[in-house]
Each structure stands twice: as C-alpha cells, then as structure tokens.
Amino acid sequence: MRLGDWILCVSMALNVLAALEITEIRVQRLQEISYADAIAEGVSYDKNPSRIHGHWSNDEGNPVYQFRALWESINGAGSWAENPWVWAITFQKVTV
C-alpha cells in the first residue's frame, strides 16, 4: 500500500460498492493512539464526560479507554499491556 492508492470495498450483504483512498500510513505503538484516532476507530464514548482537574472522572467517557477495551476483547486479556507496534492507516471515501 502506498499513499494515494485506492482500495475497493465490497459488501455483498449490504449491496455496497465503495473505494477508499489511503491518505496516511504510519507505524506507532498501540498505546500511542490519540483521543481523535480512538474516535475515528468508531468506539462509543460519552460525548460530555465530566473531568476533574483535567482527568476523566470515569473511564467510560474516555475514547482511548473504550478502544483499549475493544482491543482486549478482540486480542485477549493483557494484549493492551504488550503495547505492540501497529500500522495506523488513514483513508477517505472516494466517489466512484
């Protein structure tokens, strides 16, 4: 994959055809995921979390915490703590 490449996405179940253009590729440690990147991954979170002295008052309001829970549900308990190197690929939908 290279920047500017297109990926064709087909969903037989939804009868959808779409193309995605790769806009950024980077390598990073899993735990380096940002608040914005966690939201872009599609995790659900409280859009109006309460904060106390700049910290989340509950973890459910933090999208990074929600992404961690999702990661461990897929990859197993303790997989977040391993902090592996991951590919972070950003894309945008292209009209075909």
Side-chain angles (χ1 to χ4, degrees), residues 2-3 5-7 15 21 25-26 28 31 35-36 42 51 57-60 69 72-73 75-76 80 84 88 90:
R2 297 180 313 247
L3 289 180
D5 280 359
W6 283 24
I7 301 170
N15 197 24
E21 179 182 10
I25 301 172
R26 63 188 188 282
Q28 65 183 48
Q31 294 179 19
Y35 178 97
R51 290 178 150 231
S57 63
N58 65 20
D59 287 331
E60 288 74 30
E72 289 205 335
S73 75
N75 299 290
W80 177 264
T90 307

Side-chain angles (χ1 to χ4, degrees), residues 42-71:
V43 296
S44 59
Y45 68 101
D46 181 356
K47 292 183 172 107
N48 297 304
S50 33
R51 290 178 150 231
I52 300 173
H53 305 294
H55 299 285
W56 298 98
S57 63
N58 65 20
D59 287 331
E60 288 74 30
N62 184 336
V64 174
Y65 178 86
Q66 294 299 325
F67 180 78
R68 173 187 176 172
L70 173 63
W71 180 272

Side-chain angles (χ1 to χ4, degrees), residues 2-5 20-25 89-92:
R2 297 180 313 247
L3 289 180
D5 280 359
L20 303 175
E21 179 182 10
I22 299 169
T23 58
E24 182 181 14
I25 301 172
I89 301 172
T90 307
F91 55 87
Q92 65 184 9

